Amino acid sequence: MLARLQKLIRSFAPGGPARPRYVFDETDHRVAAAGLLVYAMNVDGVESPAEKTRVAALLQERFSLDEDETRALLAAAGERNRDALDFNDFTGVVKRAYNVDGRQRIVEMMWEIVFADGVLHEFEDNLVWRVAEALDVPSAARTTIRSKAASRNNVLLPEAGE
């Protein structure tokens, strides 16, 4: 709240050097979390409008961002994603920044992205499982999170062994 008030006051200050309103450093945990969501959105090769909308909504809600901040975060995550070798460039930052509940929430957000278009692609499924494992999310929690997210998004999961 104080930061937003300070930002508002600075916006009325005369002069001063022009600079971007919102800057997200590449080491910012929010960039890493957003990077994982963007990675999940793109892993099947299709960036659907439903997935793009869901990514923005989840980031806005999770990090209490306004629309401009959300766009800036997505731009930073997209840039970071282009430079990343793979998702492990993000998991280390997320793992250090969040406790197990926070890491589980990131995995839940990834499932929300994967299910946003109503289709579960095998690459998406594999990615989220591998990220969850890298983030030390317990196996039972992974299964529960996946099932709940699928149910919320009306996605039918394949039976075990399929």
Side-chain angles (χ1 to χ4, degrees), residues 5-162:
L5 181 58
Q6 289 172 331
K7 196 181 329 180
L8 177 65
I9 292 169
R10 279 194 303 266
S11 72
F12 291 109
R19 58 190 165 122
R21 282 183 68 185
Y22 308 107
V23 178
F24 291 94
D25 183 273
E26 70 179 28
T27 61
D28 190 318
H29 65 91
R30 297 170 298 179
V31 173
L36 286 172
L37 299 186
V38 170
Y39 203 95
M41 178 175 63
N42 293 320
V43 74
D44 65 353
V46 178
E47 194 176 279
S48 78
E51 290 172 329
K52 288 170 100 171
T53 300
R54 192 72 181 123
V55 167
L58 285 168
L59 291 172
Q60 210 167 1
E61 176 188 321
R62 173 74 168 115
F63 299 121
S64 302
L65 304 174
D66 64 28
E67 288 183 28
D68 290 337
E69 290 168 322
T70 302
R71 276 192 290 278
L73 178 57
L74 281 169
E79 185 176 315
R80 182 75 178 95
N81 215 304
R82 284 186 290 281
D83 295 339
L85 296 176
D86 63 15
F87 66 84
N88 288 306
D89 284 7
F90 306 112
T91 56
V93 175
V94 169
K95 200 170 173 180
R96 286 187 300 276
Y98 297 98
N99 63 18
V100 71
D101 291 335
R103 295 192 309 268
Q104 287 178 10
R105 178 67 179 120
I106 299 299
V107 170
E108 180 182 11
M109 292 166 69
M110 290 182 74
W111 281 121
E112 291 290 333
I113 299 310
V114 165
F115 294 142
D117 62 2
V119 179
L120 176 60
H121 191 280
E122 65 184 283
F123 291 155
E124 295 170 327
D125 194 36
N126 183 272
L127 170 69
V128 181
W129 282 108
R130 292 183 328 164
V131 168
E133 188 170 273
L135 294 177
D136 291 333
V137 172
S139 182
R142 289 182 232 169
T143 303
T144 301
I145 292 167
R146 180 178 184 245
S147 295
K148 287 181 179 179
S151 178
R152 276 193 307 273
N153 290 279
N154 298 314
V155 173
L156 185 62
L157 294 175
E159 296 294 323
E162 281 187 37

